[in-house]
Amino acid sequence: MSQDPLLSIQDVTVEYTTQGKRFAAISGVTFDIAEGETLGLVGESGCGKSTTGRAIIQLPRPTRGTVQFEGTELTTLPYDQMRQIRQRLQIIFQDPVSSLNPRRKVKDIVAEPLVIAGISDKAEREGRVREVLTAVGMDPDITMERRPHQFSGGQCQRICIARALIMEPKLIVCDEPVSALDVSVQAQILNLLEDMKERYGLTLLFISHDLAVVKNISDRVAVMYLGKFCELASSLRIYEAPAHPYTAGLMATIPTIEAGAQLETAALSGEIPSPLNPPSGCRFRTRCPIAQDKCASDEPQFREIETGHFVACHFPLTGGTA
Amino acid sequence: MPADIAESQPLLEVIDLYTHFDTPRGVAHAVDGISFTLDRGRTLGVVGESGSGKSVLSRTIIDILSHDGSVLYRGKVMFEGRDLRELSQKEMREVRGREIAMVFQDPMSSLNPVKRIGKQITEVLVKRMGMNKASANLRAAELIDSVGIPDPEQQLKRYPMHLSGGMRQRVAIAIALAGEPKLLIADEPTTALDVTIQAQILDLLRKQQRERNMAVILITHNLGIVSGYTDDVAVMYAGKIVERCETQELMNRPRMPYTEALMKSAPLLSDPPHTRLDAIPGLPPNLLNVPDGCRFHERCRYATDRCLTELPDLTADGSSEHLYACWNPLEVKAEALS
Ligand SMILES: Nc1ncnc2c1ncn2[C@@H]1O[C@H](COP(=O)(O)OP(=O)(O)OP(=O)(O)O)[C@@H](O)[C@H]1O
Ligand SMILES: Nc1ncnc2c1ncn2[C@@H]1O[C@H](COP(=O)(O)OP(=O)(O)O)[C@@H](O)[C@H]1O
Ligand code: SF4
Ligand code: SF4
Ligand SMILES: [Mg+2]
Ligand SMILES: [Mg+2]
């Protein structure tokens, strides 16, 4: 690929203060997303998935590191210019119902980005709202005049997707968009995202804690643990040959219809350590079944073990050793 | 009753159970004619989408829903031959906690946030098991150890709010086990937990179930969990059981189109990326206004005219123990084609 990536994140660290203590919610995160690609991001609660997604839209601005979108550096961009860019850089959230203003009508919610962008022609706005609602599978005639509480979670997520699409963005950060939905509706929304990607030429960062969902929708997958990337590879490769013990453990842990009765014992023991006080060396070592002395003293670097396959482990399960 | 009868009798027998809520917007048919039996030492998975009535079913069994007239009940809940619905509130309180215990999705609902966890466990032991302080302390330490809480001495002194979600659920399980129940009902015990912690908690429940020969009702919306952790399964849809059989049988040969649709809608790890999902169109029905006929008919690809008007019973083919509620069950259809 000679083309420049649509989004390029270099060494991004986001620090927060809790209980009077400063800590890094994510640190040294580096990745690219190519135009038209879907990058999946998985990991357990608190590992920094949302923080990574929000760092892209500068909410908040990263403490360190760079974020380039279409060649523009966002971390130093003045806020008014950032607002312009935000039209091309949308985000949708896990809880569709609470991310919609309950007092407003659907047509106003979906049109809001157009108003912010200064499109004052009411007829034009209405036409675009109709078009995008139809695209997400909602009938504009019965939807536009209603308010969010009259819709189910899945329908509210469709409305959120419509609102994100109306400015025809390049990139959408999808932060657990199907986690609150039942499986039957989850499948509808995943199919819709695939269709919208095709139709609008979108690029997606898709955040989820569900490995099967992430594999289904992503071209490449990144796995996070305690604020750092531990593995990044093509969706096929990472499932076929996980190199990081955490990725392998996660996969062995998921109860699936296929695994069925084979699933006998939990693959990963122990608790997730607090991000306020991560273990020395490799952050995963307190739960890693193959940890050795070196893992406590030296932090493994995120390195390429085969083309396009990155892992942060001294003793990766595939692709050679340190 | 003689011991041999007690042994041959199922532990739990739910007979034609109805739980309806009288709400300002109408009557919600949350549990609508449910029957099943559960033997000692077996794990029954109850699976269904949100709002299908799983939690109402479990709360009706242990009788923790309101009795102020807003909830309408019908049917029997036979536990070791006694109809629990006939018991007084006081007798039922004794059954709860001793013979039947429950674990909830949110462990905090069974924990006191401002009391040390050691104290909470010993209190239960003193109250329910009539132990003295000293033996309760010993037993609490054993329980804490058996649910896999590391460093029990220290942990017992902590407050629930200082524990992780997984640790809280372990404490809630320890409290549920304190009365040595014959039946444990776990309502989505891992839905709020991370996947690696979920596996630990499900392993723990299975280990306890085996060691104590306890019966378990494991309620979940995840067929993967049913597949990995249960012996039998009941699939619920809109207040009714629509399919019931041994778990492996269900995984291999689902008969009810809804079950098949549920299985197909979830992405599989073995599928290549971008595999188109077989989504179920539409939404589960509103329980205030359930459709006539088969409740799944608006979303079913096999629906025929009969499905629109006649409600299929939960029945089996011949002497099979595989029950399903469908006019056009899956295998029969395949045979008819060939
Ligand atoms: N505004 C904030 N102030 C302080 N700490 C925060 C803030 N936002 C997030 N954190 C902390 O940063 C860490 C990463 O949080 P983040 O929300 O990115 O996790 P996540 O991977 O999205 O988790 P989940 O799966 O629960 O959504 C957590 O320890 C979290 O508690
Ligand atoms: N206290 C209540 N009053 C009125 N309706 C209720 C009450 N509790 C549950 N319901 C309704 O009963 C149905 C089944 O709920 P529930 O058993 O909680 O579903 P599940 O556990 O399968 O997600 C839902 O439609 C729900 O809204
Ligand atoms: S670096 Fe060591 S502790 Fe970390 S994942 Fe690799 S083997 Fe395990
Ligand atoms: S009875 Fe009819 S509508 Fe219901 S599941 Fe069977 S085929 Fe479908
Ligand atoms: Mg998050
Ligand atoms: Mg429930």
Side-chain angles (χ1 to χ4, degrees), chain B residues 12 23 48 79 102 107 145 184 331:
Chain B
L12 176 74
T23 77
F79 186 77
M102 183 140 179
D145 185 54
L184 178 71
E331 243 164 24

Side-chain angles (χ1 to χ4, degrees), chain A residues 44-45 182 184 187-188 191 194-195 215-217 219 239 253 255 258 260 263-266 268-271 287, chain B residues 49-50 164 194-196 198 200 203 206 224 227-228 262 265 269-271 273-277 279-280 282 299:
Chain A
E44 294 177 274
S45 181
D182 269 314
S184 68
Q188 296 171 8
N191 285 343
E194 292 274 31
D195 293 343
K215 180 183 180 186
N216 181 271
I217 199 157
D219 302 302
Y239 289 89
T253 281
E258 309 147 280
L263 208 69
E264 266 301 317
T265 44
L268 293 175
S269 58
E271 291 259 296
R287 304 176 75 200
Chain B
E49 295 179 85
S50 71
S164 69
D194 274 310
V195 281
T196 61
Q198 162 171 290
Q200 294 171 3
D203 280 348
R206 173 159 56 196
S227 170
L262 261 190
S265 62
L269 268 181
S270 57
D271 284 340
H274 306 298
T275 300
R276 186 86 184 167
L277 297 170
I280 309 177
R299 309 172 77 193

Side-chain angles (χ1 to χ4, degrees), chain B residues 43-185:
Chain B
T43 298
L44 170 72
V46 176
V47 66
E49 295 179 85
S50 71
S52 57
K54 308 180 296 295
S55 297
V56 173
L57 172 63
S58 57
R59 284 166 166 76
T60 306
I61 293 172
I62 62 163
D63 195 25
I64 53 171
L65 292 170
S66 157
H67 284 280
D68 65 0
S70 67
V71 190
L72 318 170
Y73 304 96
R74 207 168 88 205
K76 290 185 175 154
V77 178
M78 307 296 291
F79 186 77
E80 295 192 305
R82 278 187 301 171
D83 185 356
L84 298 184
R85 303 226 49 87
E86 303 279 303
L87 299 187
S88 68
Q89 301 256 12
K90 181 163 170 288
E91 289 167 320
M92 195 57 213
R93 261 199 302 279
E94 266 158 39
V95 169
R96 257 193 321 261
R98 277 306 305 268
E99 286 166 278
I100 308 180
M102 183 140 179
V103 174
F104 298 89
Q105 173 173 337
D106 176 9
M108 286 312 278
S109 61
S110 40
L111 297 176
N112 182 335
V114 295
K115 207 178 261 180
R116 293 179 202 276
I117 63 170
K119 185 133 204 286
Q120 298 195 44
I121 300 173
T122 48
E123 267 182 10
V124 172
L125 290 164
V126 170
K127 221 161 65 190
R128 282 193 215 146
M129 307 295 282
M131 287 186 177
N132 63 33
K133 216 57 194 288
S135 40
N137 280 334
L138 280 175
R139 183 80 187 105
E142 278 171 29
L143 278 167
I144 280 293
D145 185 54
S146 74
V147 296
I149 295 185
D151 195 8
E153 298 270 299
Q154 283 307 308
Q155 301 286 351
L156 286 170
K157 290 189 202 137
R158 301 176 73 186
Y159 294 93
M161 61 185 202
H162 293 138
L163 301 178
S164 69
M167 279 300 155
R168 286 178 191 161
Q169 198 56 289
R170 286 178 196 270
V171 174
I173 291 171
I175 289 175
L177 295 175
E180 290 171 16
K182 295 170 185 157
L183 169 63
L184 178 71
I185 303 179

Side-chain angles (χ1 to χ4, degrees), chain B residues 265-309:
Chain B
S265 62
L268 297 178
L269 268 181
S270 57
D271 284 340
H274 306 298
T275 300
R276 186 86 184 167
L277 297 170
D278 227 328
I280 309 177
L283 297 169
N286 175 351
L287 294 182
L288 292 170
N289 190 8
V290 287
D292 285 339
C294 172
R295 291 182 180 175
F296 186 54
H297 80 245
E298 287 161 345
R299 309 172 77 193
C300 180
R301 66 174 67 167
Y302 305 106
T304 49
D305 283 349
R306 186 178 194 185
C307 308
L308 311 188
T309 51

